[in-house]
Amino acid sequence: MKKRRRLILFFIALTIAVTTYFNLIQNRLEAQPIVQKQFQQTINVKTILNKLHKRATLISLEGSVSKTYGQTDDMFNTGWNWIDKLGNKQYIIKAKGKFTMGMDLSQITQDDILIAGSTIIVKLPEVKLQTLELPYEKMTIHNEDGILRKEFTQKEIKLIHTEMTSIIMKDIKSDKDIYVNATEDAKKFLRIFLMLMPGVDEVKFSY
């Protein structure tokens, strides 16, 4: 009789344990959509905008640049070679430096952000040249001056440096490959950056 009673109590305890376990599993499954819904509710334009504005300037590309520039300044042009050389000034300038490309994320406004479910669509600003470092002290000048011409003064060298900087800046801005690469790198970073936000499954860009 005692064995039978123990067996009955065992089955009752087992039934209670199994029922409790399945109730816990069911409660967890029912709670998952609620958590996902809460995550989705955190995706809003203001949150995204604040995240982008805190990043401010995004540097997406760093590069090096080298430029050789030569010029001849003739004092005379008589056709007599030995005379003309007396007043000639020929020089070759070599300059090396570094530059960065990027975009100003603070330019993005609320109207540039669209949320479609778990997808974010952002209209990006244009990639621009951010910095150009062309050290003055690293610029080299090789010149051949006629006996009637003086060597470059410091003022002239500084003017040449300014001119070289302007030329290199134009070269960078006219290079389409630099802009394409800088834009693609910016998109790769921002896609990862924004997908770290809870509830975001996809990030797209427009221009």
Side-chain angles (χ1 to χ4, degrees), residues 40-56:
Q40 290 178 356
Q41 288 176 350
T42 62
I43 308 174
N44 58 73
V45 172
K46 188 176 181 180
T47 302
I48 297 169
L49 198 62
N50 288 339
K51 191 175 180 69
L52 292 172
H53 284 184
K54 283 182 180 179
R55 184 72 193 185

Side-chain angles (χ1 to χ4, degrees), residues 80-137:
W80 292 82
N81 191 43
W82 67 275
I83 295 178
D84 292 340
K85 281 186 177 180
L86 296 176
N88 285 355
K89 175 175 275 193
Q90 296 179 343
Y91 55 91
I92 298 174
I93 306 162
K94 293 183 179 181
K96 294 182 179 180
K98 297 179 180 180
F99 70 92
T100 60
M101 302 290 295
M103 58 177 62
D104 184 3
L105 300 180
S106 65
Q107 292 182 354
I108 299 175
T109 65
Q110 291 188 2
D111 295 334
D112 297 324
I113 300 173
L114 178 65
I115 299 174
S118 60
T119 300
I120 299 174
I121 304 171
V122 184
K123 184 179 179 182
L124 295 177
E126 183 184 357
V127 168
K128 294 182 178 180
L129 176 66
Q130 298 296 320
T131 61
L132 174 59
E133 297 178 6
L134 203 67
Y136 171 78
E137 63 277 4

Side-chain angles (χ1 to χ4, degrees), residues 142-186:
H142 173 73
N143 59 296
E144 295 180 1
D145 302 330
I147 60 174
L148 298 180
R149 303 297 296 269
K150 296 180 180 179
E151 293 185 0
F152 285 113
T153 63
Q154 285 299 315
K155 183 178 181 181
E156 288 175 323
I157 293 175
K158 288 181 179 179
L159 288 174
I160 291 171
H161 179 263
T162 301
E163 186 177 359
M164 284 291 289
T165 302
S166 179
I167 292 171
I168 291 174
M169 192 176 294
K170 288 179 181 178
D171 288 344
I172 294 172
K173 289 182 177 180
S174 62
D175 192 326
K176 292 182 179 180
D177 289 339
I178 289 177
Y179 278 82
V180 170
N181 292 334
T183 301
E184 289 303 313
D185 287 349

